[in-house]
Amino acid sequence: MSTTISVPPQLLLERILTLEIVRVTERAAVSAARLRGHGDEKGADQAAVDAMRRELNKMPIEGTVVIGEGERDEAPMLFIGEKVGAGIDAGPKVDIAVDPLEGTTLCAKNMPGSIATMAMAEGGTLLHAPDVYMQKIAIGPGYDKGVIDIDAPPEENIRRLAQAKDVPIHGITALVLDRPRHAELISKIRATGAGVQLITDGDVAGVIHCADPENTGVDIYIGTGGAPEGVLAAAALRCIGGQMQCRLLLDTYSKRNRAESMGIEDPNFVYQIEDMVKGDCLFAATGVTDGSLLSGVKFRKNVIQTETVVMRSVTGTVRYIKADHRQFEKFHLD
């Protein structure tokens, strides 16, 4: 005679958010890492997407992808609105945000900083954002509200942060995506006396870096990047603390119309972290290539090694998981 054990929903959610989500980003990272340095951005992205989808569909959840890859990159995608998980009655309803391979170029060129990442939250609590550009400004924990203002000039934000941190302006370092659109921004930041650290890709990891300035040397993230990455970064900051303000760049009728169809009524709304991630959430990322946030996948003779960071907002817990995968043939066959 079989016995059914009833598991309270919150405990099931916690189990999913601590271990099973790690498997999702691990598999995506390993699949993408097989194509490191091959110069095949779309191939690596496809491998990560396929692996992530397979793992998500094994999970005891009723999940909806609310942040996925999109039209702008013309890439293989876990599309917005896609249903994942074992299905109805399998487990809790959750919102999912994914970037199966952040830093596709970094992976293709085997450069530092490529990661596989995702966030999971209670159903109906993640911002449904279209795949458009987003203005972003973020700092780490420990500051009073109002230190940063997305509508203030960058010079003012730098000065405010230096004052709040009680350091001279030259003691502040801003992280900015190295893009032509940021040339004026970079000049204005440097004109204050602050330093600028440039990254070629990977602004999810970039935002996370400003949450730990003592180890990363990054105090503030400023610039324009993808909206999906913005929501993922907000999920991470909700877990580890910090401030972030964002605004969608809906500069065409088609973008505004798409945003409206997703429930966004005010195209100029300034989003705080709490507007983008309203409930309990978890963020996970696994390194694909070596970087300052995570080590990349290592293919040893009899083992595959991965490093993952997993965070949960309700507890503020941050775990780094270094794993040795000895049944590595499963990474070929699953």
Side-chain angles (χ1 to χ4, degrees):
M1 178 177 178
S2 62
T3 302
T4 301
I5 300 175
S6 177
V7 180
Q10 67 273 19
L11 295 182
L12 178 60
L13 191 65
E14 182 175 359
R15 179 174 65 86
I16 292 168
L17 294 178
T18 53
L19 290 177
E20 300 203 22
I21 194 174
V22 173
R23 296 189 183 99
V24 177
T25 57
E26 285 175 343
R27 293 297 176 96
V30 170
S31 295
R34 296 187 187 282
L35 291 174
R36 281 186 310 217
H38 288 215
D40 185 2
E41 295 184 18
K42 289 191 175 181
D45 200 17
Q46 182 74 69
V49 168
D50 291 346
M52 187 168 277
R53 179 181 282 116
R54 283 194 299 268
E55 289 304 308
L56 283 171
N57 284 328
K58 295 175 184 177
M59 294 178 68
I61 57 171
E62 187 179 344
T64 302
V65 176
V66 299
I67 294 291
E69 294 195 307
E71 308 85 355
R72 189 177 69 243
D73 295 330
E74 297 182 355
M77 64 178 75
L78 274 155
F79 60 86
I80 295 171
E82 181 171 351
K83 302 297 182 181
V84 294
I88 297 174
D89 297 328
K93 291 184 178 181
V94 294
D95 287 351
I96 294 171
V98 301
D99 193 345
L101 182 59
E102 189 196 32
T104 54
T105 301
L106 299 177
C107 179
K109 295 181 178 180
N110 202 7
M111 295 172 63
S114 182
I115 59 175
T117 184
M118 67 171 290
M120 185 180 291
E122 298 172 274
T125 64
L126 284 184
L127 174 67
H128 294 218
D131 185 29
V132 298
Y133 284 112
M134 174 185 268
Q135 292 176 292
K136 309 170 192 175
I137 183 169
I139 58 175
Y143 300 105
D144 293 336
K145 285 286 187 181
V147 172
I148 55 172
D149 181 355
I150 199 169
D151 289 321
E155 304 96 319
E156 184 175 343
N157 280 306
I158 295 295
R159 292 189 186 101
R160 287 180 181 179
L161 181 58
Q163 183 177 8
K165 193 176 180 181
D166 195 24
V167 297
I169 288 178
H170 63 74
I172 297 294
T173 297
L175 190 143
V176 183
L177 272 173
D178 190 5
R179 297 289 187 272
R181 64 179 179 269
H182 289 149
E184 183 178 358
L185 170 65
I186 292 167
S187 295
K188 288 182 176 179
I189 295 171
R190 285 176 172 160
T192 68
V196 175
Q197 180 175 326
L198 297 174
I199 54 172
T200 59
D201 291 280
D203 59 342
V204 175
V207 171
I208 296 172
H209 276 61
C210 72
D212 188 17
E214 289 188 3
N215 290 314
T216 65
V218 174
D219 298 289
I220 184 169
Y221 177 97
I222 311 177
T224 301
E229 291 85 352
V231 176
L232 279 161
L237 286 189
R238 182 149 177 99
C239 295
I240 56 179
Q243 299 177 41
M244 187 175 185
Q245 294 181 359
C246 302
R247 178 187 285 115
L248 296 169
L249 293 180
L250 304 172
D251 51 0
T252 67
Y253 172 79
S254 62
K255 291 177 183 177
R256 289 191 294 271
N257 189 54
R258 175 158 171 72
E260 186 176 347
S261 71
M262 298 173 73
I264 296 170
E265 299 178 357
D266 182 359
N268 296 310
F269 187 79
V270 174
Y271 294 91
Q272 310 285 338
I273 292 174
E274 297 78 11
D275 298 312
M276 293 185 281
V277 189
K278 297 177 181 178
D280 183 19
C281 73
L282 181 134
F283 171 91
T286 301
V288 177
T289 60
D290 285 337
S292 54
L293 178 64
L294 293 163
S295 297
V297 176
K298 302 292 189 297
F299 295 101
R300 307 301 189 192
K301 183 176 181 180
N302 295 311
V303 68
I304 298 172
Q305 296 175 327
T306 58
E307 184 178 22
T308 301
V309 59
V310 59
M311 316 172 186
R312 192 178 184 200
S313 65
V314 75
T315 59
T317 304
V318 178
R319 294 182 175 91
Y320 284 86
I321 300 174
K322 292 187 176 183
D324 288 352
H325 307 273
R326 300 189 183 281
Q327 293 184 337
F328 60 91
E329 69 278 357
K330 292 179 69 60
F331 284 93
H332 292 277
L333 302 175
D334 285 2

